[in-house]
Structure formats: structure tokens, C-alpha cells
Amino acid sequence: MINSLTLKLSSIGLKCFICSFLFYIPSVFSDTLITTKQRFTMENYETFYGGTIPNIEIGWESYGTLNAKKDNAILITHFFSGTSHAAGKYSEDDKKPGYWDSIIGPGKSIDTNKYYVISSDTLINANVKSPNVYTTGPSSIDPKTNKPYGLTFPIVTIRDFVNVQHALLESLSIKKLHAVVGASMGSFQALEWASAYPDMVPRAIAVVTTGEANSYLIAETEQWANAIKSDPLWNGGDYYGKAEPIDGLTNAIASINLAGISGFILDRQYKEKMNDELGPRKSILSSFSLYGEIEKKSREKARRLDANSVLYLIRANQLYRVGQAKTLAEGIRPIKAKILLLPSKHDVLIPGHTTQALYTKLLMQNKQVTYDEILGPWGHADAFLAIGTKKDAIRNFLEDK
């Protein structure tokens, strides 16, 4: 059932959503928090599957102040197409603050007056072309060949993202976190942190999450990958310095956007308009305005992303299971943290029943876990557009001893 809150939130409008790739719509109602981007480097990282990556670099930023005991740090782990830019702005002139600016900042749910909030770009980041993203991935130069890695870059997992973040925190002498918080792919990282480094993570908040990539998620994301690989310009991943596979990447991004939004929102914005459109009734070559707008914005985004990096991120998500273990039960066994699960009622990409399965397994192992559903209308995108409805739950969870 769609309640009054749903109707109110849906009035924000689908056009804002389409302008973003994978649900990046920041708050526009907050004071400006200024942050700076920093670089972290490490040598000869060995991946979960045994590959070696020399000279890794990732970008990171922070909000608030690390206390003398260095025990007030909260790590924010970002979503599939996200970056470290979780809150604030890099300058007063920036048009948009970070994606979770509505809940991160002075006096907010993740209160930067209390906590030192840190967020990093993942190892491999789709936004590698951005001047505010530092990352190592398939578009980076292989020191052995002085050419981009392309598909010679080793397969990486969610655990690898977490391990590099762990090295970053070690460099800052942070030995224990107050919490790890993330949404979507970020929630996978939050749970992986709780499993991989249980003595370091007393609390974890996982928004729109699951404990493992199920068959549907793997098949759905494989379609995204195939859209890229079917573009002749992809050329087996060897396109650097040449024309890039923009068409294939555009189709992939469009599919990702559609997977992240509920049918209710699409109908509210477009149903009546599509009923009056003549083009699709006269020519098979004409598209409905709904998809035309999605395709246009997806193409704009595609020009700012790296296709191979998107493929590697897809594979990392397909290989996900908490603990990178053989079974979910085995993967969650090391967890000591209190867990807050925040699924979205109308999520299609990571439906509630998969979060409930994780919740049940955590309870069976006597873990401290809370399940609190987000009732917004957006589906998977509720992790960003409706996160404010859970601001008190997040604040209370972080303050609970």
C-alpha cells in the first residue's frame, strides 16, 4: 500500500532521479560543511583471489574531528556508482553536497560534532575520470607495460575494498571504529567489515542490503555487463586511447537506473503522458518519453565513467557473500557488532525477503540485530531519497551503548 508519506516523497519528481546515476540526490536543506579530498597509497596489495596490484591509490575525505583516543571514527562505505563524497562540499561554489548530506553533519544523525566521519573511494571506482576521485583500477597504468591494465587487472571482491580501507585506517592509527555505515554496495562493505574485522567494528548499519548475491542479482547485473561487452567499441576491454563504448555503457546505466526505482514512481511521473504519445503508435523506431529521458541522462553519465571499471564493480557485487565464505552462515559467524538493517519496502533490486533471510540467520546465531523497514516510494533509491525517515533510528543506534 502507498501511504501519505509515499505520496509526499514521490512529489519530488522522477526527473531529479534520472539526472542522477544510481540514486545520488543530495540534500539541499543543510548548512554547508566544507571538506577536502586526500590521497592514500599502499604498495603491492594482494587480492582475495591471489592477484597482486602494485602502487594502489584511493581518495578519502573526512568530516568532524578525531578525538585523542581515536575511538570516535565512523566509516562511510559508498554505493556502486558512488565516491567518497558522502557529505558537505569541496568549496562554497559546489552545486551539490555529498549524497548523504541530509544525515551527516553537525547535529545530524551522524553528528560530526561527536564523530570523526571518514569515507573513501573504493579500489576501482566507476568515476575514475572525475578530478575528485583517486582510485586504482583497469584504467590505471600497469607499471610492467606502461599501458592501462584493461582486463589484465585482477578480479577484486568486496573484501578487497574493505582491506584497502583497513590499511587506510591503520595509516591514521585508528584501531577501533565507532561504526561502519553504508547503503547498497556500501552496505555489503559494512557487513564485510563486521565479519573481516570483528574486534574493530562494534556497530554496523546496512541500508538496502542482503547477505549474499542471489541468483536474480547475479543475472540482473550480468545483463548490465553484457550491454557494455556487446558494444563493438569495447573491443575486449582494449579501448583506451580510442573511441570508447559509450552506447553500451549508456544501455548499462539505463538498466541500472531502472533497477533502482519502483514502478509506482514511474507510473506517477509518466503513465498519463505515455497514454497520449503518438510516436510509438506510428513507428517502431519511436521510444516513449520515459525511456527517452532515461537514455539521455544515462548517456551524459556514460561519458564520465570508465566501462571496464563498471564491469569490475559488477563482478565484485556478483561475487559478494558476507565473509566471502562458502555459506552465509559461515560468513556471519565472526560478527560481534550490533547490526541495524534498513531495507526498502519497495526495493526490486535487493528485495526485502533477501534482507529478511540475512536477519533470520543473524538471529539464529544470537547476533544483536534490528530490522527496520524504510517505507518510501522509490524502491532501492529510498536508501538516499527517504533515508531521512530513519534519521532518529540511525542516531539512536549510534548512541546506544
Side-chain angles (χ1 to χ4, degrees):
M1 178 179 292
I2 304 299
N3 57 24
S4 60
L5 170 63
T6 295
L7 292 171
K8 183 177 180 180
L9 288 170
S10 68
S11 67
I12 295 173
L14 180 61
K15 291 184 179 180
C16 292
F17 171 82
I18 295 174
C19 290
S20 65
F21 168 46
L22 269 188
F23 339 124
Y24 169 67
I25 302 185
S27 167
V28 294
F29 304 108
S30 60
D31 295 331
T32 301
L33 180 69
I34 301 298
T35 187
T36 57
K37 196 64 178 278
Q38 302 185 61
R39 297 175 187 260
F40 168 72
T41 59
M42 63 183 299
E43 298 179 356
N44 297 322
Y45 173 73
E46 184 174 335
T47 70
F48 185 80
Y49 288 122
T52 299
I53 309 171
N55 305 323
I56 279 182
E57 177 181 70
I58 60 169
W60 65 281
E61 58 195 80
S62 62
Y63 328 95
T65 303
L66 186 63
N67 64 18
K69 294 182 179 179
K70 298 190 175 184
D71 63 357
N72 69 328
I74 293 179
L75 178 67
I76 306 297
T77 48
H78 69 70
F79 55 104
F80 185 94
S81 70
T83 72
S84 67
H85 199 38
K89 295 182 177 182
Y90 295 127
S91 73
E92 293 281 357
D93 297 331
D94 286 353
K95 293 182 179 179
K96 298 178 181 178
Y99 64 89
W100 259 357
D101 195 74
S102 62
I103 59 170
I104 299 173
K108 298 178 184 179
S109 300
I110 304 176
D111 190 350
T112 53
N113 290 328
K114 296 180 179 180
Y115 307 117
Y116 178 66
V117 182
I118 184 170
S119 179
S120 75
D121 298 328
T122 50
L123 170 66
I124 301 183
N125 192 289
N127 301 275
V128 67
K129 296 178 183 179
S130 168
N132 290 316
V133 170
Y134 313 137
T135 187
T136 300
S139 67
S140 302
I141 299 299
D142 182 348
K144 294 180 180 179
T145 64
N146 290 320
K147 298 179 181 179
Y149 282 99
L151 301 193
T152 66
F153 198 81
I155 295 295
V156 297
T157 64
I158 299 297
R159 172 63 69 87
D160 292 308
F161 299 166
V162 167
N163 286 344
V164 174
Q165 292 161 1
H166 181 261
L168 166 62
L169 295 182
E170 281 189 320
S171 75
L172 300 174
S173 299
I174 297 174
K175 297 180 179 179
K176 189 169 184 176
L177 291 162
H178 184 79
V180 184
V181 186
S184 193
M185 188 183 82
S187 75
F188 300 171
Q189 295 168 72
L191 294 171
E192 188 69 13
W193 258 101
S195 176
Y197 300 101
D199 293 326
M200 200 172 170
V201 182
R203 302 168 190 81
I205 300 178
V207 186
V208 293
T209 196
T210 183
E212 57 188 340
N214 64 8
S215 299
Y216 174 82
L217 184 60
I218 291 172
E220 171 69 22
T221 54
E222 192 67 18
Q223 289 190 93
W224 306 349
N226 286 338
I228 295 171
K229 291 185 284 189
S230 64
D231 188 328
L233 294 180
W234 179 65
N235 192 34
D238 180 18
Y239 56 81
Y240 297 109
K242 309 170 186 176
E244 298 188 14
I246 298 300
D247 287 347
L249 187 52
T250 295
N251 290 333
I253 294 170
S255 295
I256 293 168
N257 276 321
L258 282 171
I261 192 169
S262 72
F264 167 77
I265 290 295
L266 292 173
D267 277 346
R268 184 172 177 82
Q269 184 72 30
Y270 283 101
K271 188 174 181 179
E272 290 187 11
K273 184 177 181 179
M274 288 190 295
N275 287 340
D276 296 329
E277 292 179 11
L278 298 178
R281 291 167 172 78
K282 293 183 176 181
S283 173
I284 199 67
L285 297 177
S286 295
S287 296
F288 286 95
S289 58
L290 162 63
Y291 192 79
E293 189 164 344
I294 291 175
E295 196 275 342
K296 178 182 177 181
K297 297 301 181 181
S298 297
R299 184 170 297 277
E300 291 173 4
K301 186 67 177 181
R303 298 186 186 282
R304 303 195 296 270
L305 302 183
D306 174 60
N308 283 340
S309 296
V310 172
L311 291 176
Y312 273 78
L313 286 172
I314 288 171
R315 182 53 50 85
N317 282 268
Q318 291 174 328
L319 295 172
Y320 165 69
R321 178 179 291 123
V322 175
Q324 293 299 140
K326 291 184 178 180
T327 66
L328 180 55
E330 179 183 339
I332 65 175
R333 191 164 290 121
I335 293 177
K336 299 178 181 180
K338 296 178 182 178
I339 304 290
L340 174 59
L341 301 176
L342 296 175
S344 167
K345 181 177 179 63
H346 301 291
D347 196 342
V348 175
L349 187 60
I350 303 180
H353 72 84
T354 65
T355 313
Q356 290 170 358
L358 170 63
Y359 175 64
T360 298
K361 288 187 180 296
L362 287 166
L363 287 177
M364 290 174 63
Q365 293 190 18
N366 298 314
K367 309 296 183 183
Q368 298 182 69
V369 57
T370 301
Y371 185 101
D372 190 1
E373 198 169 54
I374 302 173
L375 300 178
W378 297 90
H380 197 70
D382 281 329
F384 310 97
L385 297 177
I387 193 63
T389 66
K390 296 301 176 185
K391 61 182 181 179
D392 291 336
I394 292 170
R395 184 193 303 274
N396 294 337
F397 180 81
L398 292 175
E399 293 180 352
D400 183 36
K401 302 297 184 181

